[in-house]
Amino acid sequence: MVIKPKIRGFICTNAHPVGCAENVKRQIEYVKRQPAVNDAPKRVLVIGSSTGYGLATRIVAAFGGGAKTLGVCFEKEPSERKTGTAGWYNTAAFHQQAGEAGLYAKTINGDAFSDELKTEVIEAIKADLGEVDLVIYSLASPKRKDPESGDVFSSTLKPVGQSYTTKTYDTDKDKVHEISLEPATDDEINNTVKVMGGEDWERWIKALHDAGVLAKGAKTTAYTYIGKKLTWPIYGHATIGKAKEDLDRAADALRTQYTDVQLEAYVSSLKALVTQASSAIPVMPLYISLMYGVMKEEGTHEGCIEQTYRLLSEGLYAANPSLDDAHRLRMDGHETNDQTQAKIETLWHQVNQDNFHQLADYEGYHQDFLHLFGFGFDNVDYEQDVDPLVNW
Ligand code: NAD
């Protein structure tokens, strides 16, 4: 089949297997060009391993530290007529490359929120790895089925306390326009915390600990975005921000609960980037396009792979990592520092429909968006017939 991007709103509904493999290969090549990560973990579990920050972390652990990696993701497999999701093809490409490098890789595709999947992962750890030294929690999901009650909770992207009117960029219509977002109800806030907060991370760690598969001195981290003034009303201080605050609570609880294995638990704050999760958040495409332009000019722009390489080498496995006052690892400083934010803010106030393409790096944003699904690579022939049935 010849595969061309099918973009619907903020999502692309298909993916290109060869392009996804290229995306993975480029990240692996980046890591191989860096010095190996010192004291790197050797057995790593990545929950949310197939795209975005989780995939990048898996690549750093494997190719920058020589780790055996066990991944968990929720992806659709391809059929004769329909492509698989990008995460499916990314995982297949990762397995292929890891195999060629002699690195153990196993991926379990299913609902990470369920108890059944946790049991399956523990069985795989016992059979293949014995224990794990690092657990990455990198899920981004719009809903979660509570394994105890069976209730399904949905997350919402809304401000908290008061309505908020701001600019946004509609990627579908190529339009900068105003949007007004109504404040979330208490239920919407609580449900978002239920989906994206720390509860499931804690359940994972408890299950791993109780099964005796958390190595002594193991580390775990969950990912957050803190951002600054421009994004606070829709992110940091909004429903998703409340869920992220709950990660801080969970990290504290994990640190005090699992002293028998000297577990180190951190929330890691990463920069805003184009991923499947972030393109769904109102305001973010506009903010990210402006921010990309500013950071590229400053020479500080990074993607998922650069961020997660630094997270392991300068954060999680550094001798004296710097932590903020909430005990978080901060990899977002190049974005959130006052000078960079001031430049983005100036552009934010100026940007409108007429000057958007001059002021913002939408080209960079759009290219990253296409790359997420394996499109837009200059060395991939998109006219070629390709077999969508790729497996791992
Ligand atoms: P993403 O959409 O690229 O990746 C999400 C991953 O979760 C995928 O591997 C997907 O398969 C998996 N997943 C989703 N639901 C699942 C389920 N029920 N069971 C198993 N796997 C499931 O997202 P991302 O942007 O890489 O986000 C990962 C984390 O990083 C999130 O916590 C996010 O808030 C955080 N973060 C993102 C940004 C950003 O700008 N993208 C910035 C800072 C922090």
Side-chain angles (χ1 to χ4, degrees):
M1 133 195 332
V2 172
I3 307 168
K4 297 283 170 77
K6 283 190 200 154
I7 298 174
R8 307 267 178 277
F10 54 76
I11 198 78
C12 179
T13 59
N14 62 350
H16 198 285
V18 180
C20 287
E22 179 63 23
N23 190 15
V24 170
K25 186 171 140 238
R26 288 187 185 191
Q27 296 189 60
I28 292 173
E29 280 168 358
Y30 170 81
V31 173
K32 284 183 171 167
R33 289 195 301 273
Q34 311 307 311
V37 176
N38 279 332
D39 298 322
K42 293 299 172 210
R43 299 159 301 180
V44 177
L45 169 62
V46 182
I47 304 159
S49 61
S50 55
T51 55
Y53 274 123
L55 170 67
T57 317
R58 183 178 200 179
I59 291 172
V60 174
F63 291 89
K68 296 179 176 181
T69 60
L70 176 56
V72 174
C73 60
F74 204 26
E75 301 295 343
K76 275 214 183 80
E77 64 180 295
S79 67
E80 295 278 353
R81 298 183 39 211
K82 234 179 151 222
T83 73
T85 49
W88 180 276
Y89 292 136
N90 292 339
T91 303
F94 177 85
H95 275 246
Q96 157 116 31
Q97 298 262 345
E100 283 169 17
L103 292 163
Y104 168 97
K106 184 174 210 148
T107 305
I108 298 177
N109 192 40
D111 182 8
F113 296 128
S114 71
D115 287 346
E116 293 77 11
L117 191 120
K118 290 181 176 73
T119 305
E120 206 182 320
V121 166
I122 287 166
E123 292 309 317
I125 296 172
K126 283 184 178 165
D128 299 350
L129 307 173
E131 296 176 320
V132 285
D133 314 298
L134 173 64
V135 181
I136 298 293
Y137 191 81
S138 185
L139 292 183
S141 174
K143 55 181 196 303
R144 169 176 171 230
K145 182 174 176 183
D146 184 314
E148 282 180 17
S149 65
D151 294 339
V152 177
F153 296 93
S154 294
S155 62
T156 321
L157 295 163
K158 286 190 179 176
V160 166
Q162 55 196 35
S163 61
Y164 178 58
T165 300
T166 186
K167 290 177 193 175
T168 193
Y169 175 70
D170 186 329
T171 51
D172 213 17
K173 302 196 177 92
D174 186 23
K175 272 217 147 42
V176 176
H177 62 93
E178 269 205 349
I179 45 160
S180 287
L181 299 159
E182 287 308 306
T185 62
D186 286 348
D187 270 356
E188 286 173 324
I189 298 169
N190 296 336
N191 292 353
T192 307
V193 174
K194 199 80 185 158
V195 179
M196 288 295 286
E199 192 177 276
D200 182 60
W201 183 25
E202 290 177 284
R203 288 182 72 90
W204 266 103
I205 298 299
K206 180 173 177 359
L208 295 165
H209 173 266
D210 292 357
V213 298
L214 263 190
K216 206 159 206 156
K219 303 186 194 218
T220 185
T221 186
Y223 294 155
T224 193
Y225 177 68
I226 293 174
K228 270 280 166 80
K229 206 165 92 190
L230 284 172
T231 53
W232 280 343
I234 184 61
Y235 201 106
H237 296 168
T239 44
I240 181 75
K242 294 286 164 204
K244 295 298 187 186
E245 277 170 23
D246 191 57
L247 290 179
D248 293 327
R249 176 205 57 75
D252 275 345
L254 292 174
R255 277 193 294 274
T256 48
Q257 240 164 321
Y258 299 107
T259 46
D260 59 335
V261 291
Q262 293 151 15
L263 178 74
E264 287 183 34
Y266 302 95
V267 169
S268 301
S269 184
L270 305 172
K271 81 175 277 230
L273 278 175
V274 185
T275 64
Q276 294 189 39
S278 68
S279 29
I281 303 175
V283 179
M284 282 318 243
L286 179 58
Y287 171 78
I288 292 176
S289 310
L290 294 172
M291 181 260 283
Y292 269 26
V294 168
M295 292 185 73
K296 283 179 185 175
E297 206 176 277
E298 287 180 343
T300 56
H301 176 70
E302 293 177 309
C304 290
I305 199 69
E306 290 88 352
Q307 279 273 291
T308 52
Y309 174 76
R310 284 208 297 115
L311 174 66
L312 264 73
S313 56
E314 295 174 18
L316 284 168
Y317 293 93
N320 291 304
S322 72
L323 297 168
D324 69 10
D325 46 17
H327 204 85
R328 298 185 205 102
L329 290 163
R330 298 295 293 261
M331 294 298 131
D332 53 0
H334 296 319
E335 172 192 347
T336 56
N337 69 78
D338 291 342
Q339 296 92 308
T340 305
Q341 284 295 310
K343 290 183 206 165
I344 304 171
E345 230 178 293
T346 304
L347 295 174
W348 182 270
H349 294 304
Q350 291 168 2
V351 73
N352 58 38
Q353 178 65 24
D354 301 328
N355 61 20
F356 173 71
H357 289 279
Q358 283 84 55
L359 297 188
D361 177 26
Y362 182 66
E363 237 170 74
Y365 178 96
H366 189 60
Q367 193 188 51
D368 278 9
F369 179 80
L370 289 176
H371 285 180
L372 295 179
F373 304 93
F375 296 109
F377 287 106
D378 48 14
N379 57 341
V380 174
D381 180 358
Y382 292 99
E383 303 304 327
Q384 275 270 330
D385 214 10
V386 287
D387 184 357
L389 296 176
V390 176
N391 233 314
W392 71 74

